[in-house]
């Protein structure tokens, strides 16, 4: 039984690979069930999905950046250059 393994899986392939998670857990990297959102991922319907590559962090959607990797963050977006009324 997956429950006896204490790996938070509702269904599992073996002792280390989950197929679905127990309620309240997030499916991560197609094998694990975790109870937090890793940095650089968004929780999309209980699955940890990597943020858009332009984002270092995102919230609720993979394109809703909260911090940008290589560009400037402005109004929820990663943009190459700040508007004239703002600075980097």
């Amino acid at each position: 039984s997956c429950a006896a393994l204490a790996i938070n899986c509702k269904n599992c392939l073996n002792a280390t690979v989950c197929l679905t998670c127990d309620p309240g857990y997030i499916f991560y990297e197609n094998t694990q069930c975790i109870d937090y959102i890793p940095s650089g991922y968004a929780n999309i319907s209980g699955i940890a999905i990597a943020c858009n590559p332009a984002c270092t962090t995102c919230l609720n959607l993979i394109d809703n950046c909260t911090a940008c990797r290589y560009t400037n963050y402005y109004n929820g977006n990663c943009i190459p250059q700040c508007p004239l009324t703002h600075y980097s």
Side-chain angles (χ1 to χ4, degrees):
S1 156
C2 297
L5 298 171
I7 55 175
N8 309 313
C9 298
K10 185 173 184 177
N11 297 303
C12 57
L13 184 62
N14 56 40
T16 59
V17 177
C18 296
L19 300 174
T20 59
C21 297
D22 287 337
Y25 288 88
I26 300 161
F27 195 52
Y28 174 66
E29 297 291 315
N30 295 319
T31 61
Q32 300 174 338
C33 295
I34 57 177
D35 60 356
Y36 64 95
I37 305 290
S39 182
Y41 287 80
N43 179 1
I44 309 293
S45 300
I47 300 170
I49 305 289
C51 298
N52 177 312
C55 309
T56 53
T57 58
C58 58
L59 182 63
N60 300 327
L61 301 168
I62 62 170
D63 291 324
N64 183 25
C65 300
T66 53
C68 301
R69 189 170 311 280
Y70 307 111
T71 58
N72 299 290
Y73 176 78
Y74 176 73
N75 202 21
N77 297 296
C78 295
I79 58 174
Q81 188 173 359
C82 288
L84 294 176
T85 56
H86 294 75
Y87 60 92
S88 181

